[in-house]
Amino acid sequence: WKNLCKRMTWEGFQELAADRKTKGFSLVQIVCGLYPDEGFFQPSWENEGGLPYETKDFTVINPKYFEFSDRRIQYLSDAGLVPAIVGGWGRGDCDGMRVGIEGVKRHWRNIIARYGAYPTVWLIGGEAGGPQWTEVARYVQQIDPFGRVVTMHPYESARKSVTDEGVLDFDMLQTGHGEWDKALAAIPKVKAAYERDPHMPVVIGEHSYEGHMQTGFQDIQRYVFWGSMLSGAAGHTYGAAGVWHVGVEGEHGNWGAWGGKPYDYTTWKQGMVYPGSTQVGLGRKLLEQYPWQRFQPHPEWTAPGCYAAGIPGEVRFIYHP
């Protein structure tokens, strides 16, 4: 999420991108401008060029900030990693709408002007929703000359977060952080979203990050990946403590929900090597040996509590947790 900030050095950014590319990842969700879990216009937003804007209504841009962010977005694209850019956050403690809806639209106009020619995905807001964020999503669709894919990173479901589903190209889910109770509850949410009419591609955008709050380690990462992908998901998101908030020694980068105390002191270098990232990447490499985009769920092929998908008469994938 926070890899455009100055805690992540340019050398570190290249190292992390190379790690993810080598492991088999294809896309990076990254926030440009308004960070979660942080106060409004805090110094922790800064990159090497300072804050993104000089005024709190976003009328005066700071070009130096965007020069440094430009380099990183371009690097991801050149490395074959799609930048899925989040334009701000909607949760109460870090609500981007405090700049006003016109300010958020100005911010999105700037993002599209700078990055629309890259193979981007637009995540309109993180944990956002309601009429104003729906209006922003519609505005992005109207002004984007490249017609990039649009969704909302939600509390629960992108489709449930907007007042007009027509502003979305796919449904993104957040299924909750924690241990097996959250992991077991995630797959029914994927199934419900997959079966919803009218049909729309569905991807978990956030689930139990590996190591987040000292939970969700590699067994859970495997379970949610395979349970999701064999239940009709169009892709999958992996996250890790340390990485999402760019933790470094002496500056944790996440302020949590407990009176400003951090969720994790994990550094990004520690989180980068958690085993779940390798195991999820291997899952993608295995699926890509087959026409996985044509797979459909077939729970009748296996026992209750297990998952199966494939193409009748051609291939079957069966996962027994």
Side-chain angles (χ1 to χ4, degrees), residues 148-161:
R148 299 303 184 202
V149 174
V150 172
T151 195
M152 193 81 68
H153 175 281
Y155 275 116
E156 182 180 353
S157 160
R159 295 180 78 165
K160 296 178 182 179
S161 297

Side-chain angles (χ1 to χ4, degrees), residues 61-103:
I61 192 173
N62 173 13
K64 285 294 183 184
Y65 173 91
F66 286 95
E67 287 175 14
F68 282 101
S69 67
D70 291 350
R71 179 168 68 164
R72 298 190 181 196
I73 297 298
Q74 180 173 343
Y75 187 83
L76 291 176
S77 184
D78 289 345
L81 293 166
V82 172
I85 298 176
V86 192
W89 225 255
R91 199 176 63 227
D93 62 329
C94 44
D95 186 5
M97 279 296 168
R98 71 184 66 187
V99 308
I101 188 169
E102 294 306 316

Side-chain angles (χ1 to χ4, degrees), residues 14-257:
Q14 295 174 82
E15 180 183 353
L16 180 58
D19 176 87
R20 281 354 195 190
K21 179 66 176 177
T22 299
K23 287 175 177 173
F25 288 80
S26 60
L27 179 146
V28 171
Q29 294 185 44
I30 193 163
V31 183
C32 184
L34 297 81
Y35 282 153
D37 299 298
E38 302 189 20
F40 193 59
F41 257 74
Q42 292 300 303
S44 51
W45 284 18
E46 295 177 354
N47 67 13
E48 300 93 325
L51 289 167
Y53 293 91
E54 295 180 10
T55 56
K56 292 186 178 181
D57 61 357
F58 290 4
T59 53
V60 181
I61 192 173
N62 173 13
K64 285 294 183 184
Y65 173 91
F66 286 95
E67 287 175 14
F68 282 101
S69 67
D70 291 350
R71 179 168 68 164
R72 298 190 181 196
I73 297 298
Q74 180 173 343
Y75 187 83
L76 291 176
S77 184
D78 289 345
L81 293 166
V82 172
I85 298 176
V86 192
W89 225 255
R91 199 176 63 227
D93 62 329
C94 44
D95 186 5
M97 279 296 168
R98 71 184 66 187
V99 308
I101 188 169
E102 294 306 316
V104 175
K105 287 181 176 180
R106 276 192 292 273
H107 180 51
W108 266 108
R109 184 174 181 273
N110 182 40
I111 289 174
I112 292 167
R114 303 192 82 95
Y115 307 128
Y118 293 110
T120 50
V121 172
W122 305 136
L123 306 185
I124 302 302
E127 294 177 331
Q132 287 188 309
W133 286 100
T134 304
E135 183 179 337
V136 173
R138 185 177 295 111
Y139 174 76
V140 167
Q141 286 186 330
Q142 289 169 347
I143 68 168
D144 175 12
F146 300 96
R148 299 303 184 202
V149 174
V150 172
T151 195
M152 193 81 68
H153 175 281
Y155 275 116
E156 182 180 353
S157 160
R159 295 180 78 165
K160 296 178 182 179
S161 297
V162 294
T163 55
D164 174 11
E165 291 186 6
V167 302
L168 304 175
D169 294 304
F170 68 99
D171 194 7
M172 178 172 274
L173 309 181
Q174 179 175 183
T175 60
H177 293 275
E179 285 292 335
W180 279 103
D181 58 334
K182 300 297 184 183
L184 293 168
I187 310 308
K189 294 176 181 178
V190 173
K191 291 180 177 179
Y194 176 76
E195 294 167 359
R196 186 172 173 174
D197 288 321
H199 290 302
M200 185 180 287
V202 58
V203 172
I204 292 180
E206 181 174 342
H207 75 92
S208 304
Y209 292 159
E210 188 168 9
H212 182 46
M213 299 183 288
Q214 296 75 57
T215 62
F217 288 98
Q218 63 263 34
D219 51 351
I220 283 177
Q221 301 306 317
R222 294 193 303 272
Y223 176 85
V224 179
F225 172 82
W226 284 111
S228 175
M229 293 305 297
L230 299 184
S231 297
H236 186 73
T237 302
Y238 167 87
V243 174
W244 72 265
H245 51 89
V246 192
V248 296
E249 292 293 342
E251 198 170 356
H252 53 74
N254 64 115
W255 282 265

